[in-house]
Amino acid sequence: MKSLFLGKIFGIELELHWTFLLVMIFVIISQAIFSPQTFLPIIFLFFMLFLSVFLHELCHSLVSLSKHIKVKKIMLLPIGGVALSERMPENPKDEFLIAIAGPLFNFLVVFVLLAVVSVFNLPFPWEFFNNPQNIAKFEEYLLTYPLFAVLWVNFMLGAFNLFVPALPLDGGRVFRSLLALKFDYVKATHLATRASTIFAIMLFFLGFFSGSFMLTIIAALIYLGSNQEDQLVTLKHAFSHITISHLIKKRPFVIDESKTLKEAKELMLKKNVTSLLVKRNKGYGIILSEDIVKQKANIDSQISKYAAELPILSANSASSDVMEKFYTTGHPFLPIIHNSKLIGILEASSLEKLQKLHILQKLKP
Ligand SMILES: [Zn+2]
């Protein structure tokens, strides 16, 4: 399933994950059938959630860009968003600022809304805050007062992201950046991951015994996300002294972007490969056999329309940076440039081999 491309802002691609679309369609249909009287407020709430998550991620991304960290895309998932950047900030101060920007935006919205409704005396359920018994009417308030709904969505997003000190959530990043002031980055990540794991286990049991399916899912995401990050940081550190030059494959199969998918298919079959490096007007791209199969109806169209753009590596990059680029982009190979000339490609499989050898090497006798 593909995600839905919505557009580009500040050079960052915005995409809706297909699960988001699925949830959206489900909400629209079930609301229209079962409770048409609350259809509009629910759709409004949903749209506000979408907008708030997007702006939250955009704030992270803008701070990243100001720290010279390129952000490739913002992906919106039903449980929140992710901004995919080309590398992780290793400076604790940068990481702190990037992590805190998203939740701060949400709290700013809460603050501005409270000021606006009190200054202009707009309809707002103030009684909700005065009497704890009014909690029972929470849903009613949410659906009758649009500004209260926007406020609530932003408060929850900000609080959940900032005050849960678990990786890969923003609170976990803030926590790690603070640890990194005292320990080195690898140690700080280890400690933050251990805390996240304990937190995830607690959350899982809480979800299990309270019957909250959502909590158990969040617990699983925290567990997997934090441990994956720990692994990446450890490997990056282990490889920080190795350069990739000896892993380069010198003669990749290249095709020009003006050629057709049919010509790409023929070249793949002739050379026994499932992916080709695409020479673009500016830079390089990649075309996979899957792309050709998917576009079989357009087999006579130019490759340029279907080739994904590839980030470029330099021959003397440390393999730790390279690994991160593979990790964040998920491509099977990346082009290597030296003095603005293509000297070859690096395949993800070579790095995987290096990783396995490293694990083997670390095995105690
Ligand atoms: Zn965030």
Side-chain angles (χ1 to χ4, degrees):
M1 283 263 221
K2 268 197 90 165
S3 35
L4 184 69
F5 178 70
L6 295 181
K8 240 177 168 181
I9 182 162
F10 298 108
I12 307 166
E13 294 164 19
L14 177 64
E15 283 184 2
L16 265 189
H17 196 254
W18 65 269
T19 49
F20 197 118
L21 285 175
L22 208 67
V23 172
M24 200 161 73
I25 292 167
F26 175 76
V27 168
I28 290 177
I29 293 178
S30 63
Q31 281 298 314
I33 296 174
F34 299 111
S35 44
Q37 67 283 5
T38 57
F39 182 76
L40 277 179
I42 291 278
I43 299 301
F44 175 77
L45 197 65
F46 209 77
F47 180 70
M48 277 302 140
L49 180 66
F50 162 81
L51 196 65
S52 306
V53 169
F54 164 61
L55 292 174
H56 169 114
E57 292 307 326
L58 191 63
C59 286
H60 285 309
S61 306
L62 291 180
V63 179
S64 286
L65 290 178
S66 79
K67 302 289 172 199
H68 308 289
I69 297 175
K70 243 184 158 181
V71 182
K72 197 176 159 354
K73 68 168 102 166
I74 292 177
M75 172 84 81
L76 297 175
L77 298 148
I79 49 154
V82 236
L84 295 169
S85 44
E86 240 165 32
R87 62 185 175 88
M88 289 192 286
E90 288 226 344
N91 177 339
K93 222 178 97 196
D94 289 353
E95 174 163 55
F96 179 84
L97 292 175
I98 294 170
I100 209 160
L104 275 193
F105 165 79
N106 298 118
F107 289 132
L108 186 73
V109 171
V110 170
F111 180 76
V112 170
L113 272 179
L114 283 176
V116 167
V117 290
S118 29
V119 169
F120 296 100
N121 227 342
L122 299 174
F124 196 75
W126 291 108
E127 64 270 25
F128 173 73
F129 301 97
N130 300 332
N131 188 348
Q133 276 164 5
N134 285 326
I135 297 237
K137 288 210 275 183
F138 171 70
E139 213 167 286
E140 191 191 315
Y141 290 140
L142 210 57
L143 297 179
T144 359
Y145 299 95
L147 291 178
F148 180 66
V150 178
L151 183 140
W152 185 253
V153 161
N154 277 280
F155 177 76
M156 287 309 284
L157 270 177
F160 175 70
N161 277 290
L162 192 59
F163 299 131
V164 176
L167 284 171
L169 298 172
D170 299 334
R173 297 194 184 285
V174 169
F175 182 47
R176 187 210 0 227
S177 70
L178 295 176
L179 287 170
L181 293 174
K182 191 164 163 29
F183 305 101
D184 68 62
Y185 196 72
V186 177
K187 180 89 194 275
T189 307
H190 273 323
L191 291 172
T193 302
R194 210 170 297 162
S196 309
T197 304
I198 294 171
F199 183 81
I201 292 171
M202 280 172 14
L203 204 64
F204 179 83
F205 280 112
L206 187 71
F208 187 78
F209 287 114
S210 67
S212 165
F213 182 58
M214 195 68 193
L215 279 188
T216 51
I217 291 209
I218 292 171
L221 288 177
I222 288 176
Y223 179 79
L224 293 174
S226 61
N227 281 283
Q228 197 178 32
E229 181 137 353
D230 190 35
Q231 207 183 3
L232 177 73
V233 170
T234 313
L235 280 170
K236 263 193 71 178
H237 180 75
F239 287 126
S240 55
H241 307 298
I242 306 171
T243 54
I244 49 165
S245 48
H246 67 286
L247 297 172
I248 297 172
K249 194 173 154 192
K250 294 270 162 50
R251 273 181 231 282
F253 299 113
V254 189
I255 191 162
D256 198 86
E257 67 170 350
S258 62
K259 294 278 192 305
T260 63
L261 290 178
K262 196 172 164 202
E263 285 168 293
K265 175 192 136 193
E266 278 154 12
L267 185 62
M268 279 183 192
L269 290 174
K270 196 171 143 202
K271 301 291 181 192
N272 254 327
V273 290
T274 56
S275 55
L276 295 170
L277 183 66
V278 177
K279 172 90 187 76
R280 310 196 73 153
N281 209 347
K282 234 177 144 191
Y284 290 90
I286 183 171
I287 189 94
L288 304 171
S289 61
E290 297 98 281
D291 300 331
I292 300 177
V293 174
K294 231 184 278 170
Q295 298 298 337
K296 56 178 185 275
N298 309 314
I299 194 98
D300 290 315
S301 325
Q302 280 191 349
I303 300 171
S304 57
K305 256 178 91 180
Y306 307 102
E309 204 183 309
L310 288 179
I312 283 165
L313 299 172
S314 138
N316 38 29
S317 315
S319 53
S320 56
D321 298 334
V322 172
M323 191 164 314
E324 190 160 347
K325 266 202 181 137
F326 272 109
Y327 178 82
T328 49
T329 62
H331 292 303
F333 63 74
L334 294 176
I336 319 265
I337 306 292
H338 190 60
N339 291 336
S340 55
K341 255 189 77 189
L342 177 78
I343 54 166
I345 57 168
L346 180 69
E347 292 170 314
S349 53
S350 319
L351 274 184
E352 249 164 59
K353 188 172 140 197
L354 206 62
Q355 262 183 46
K356 284 184 184 161
L357 287 173
H358 173 72
I359 293 168
L360 198 65
Q361 195 185 30
K362 270 183 61 183
L363 211 63
K364 294 203 180 76

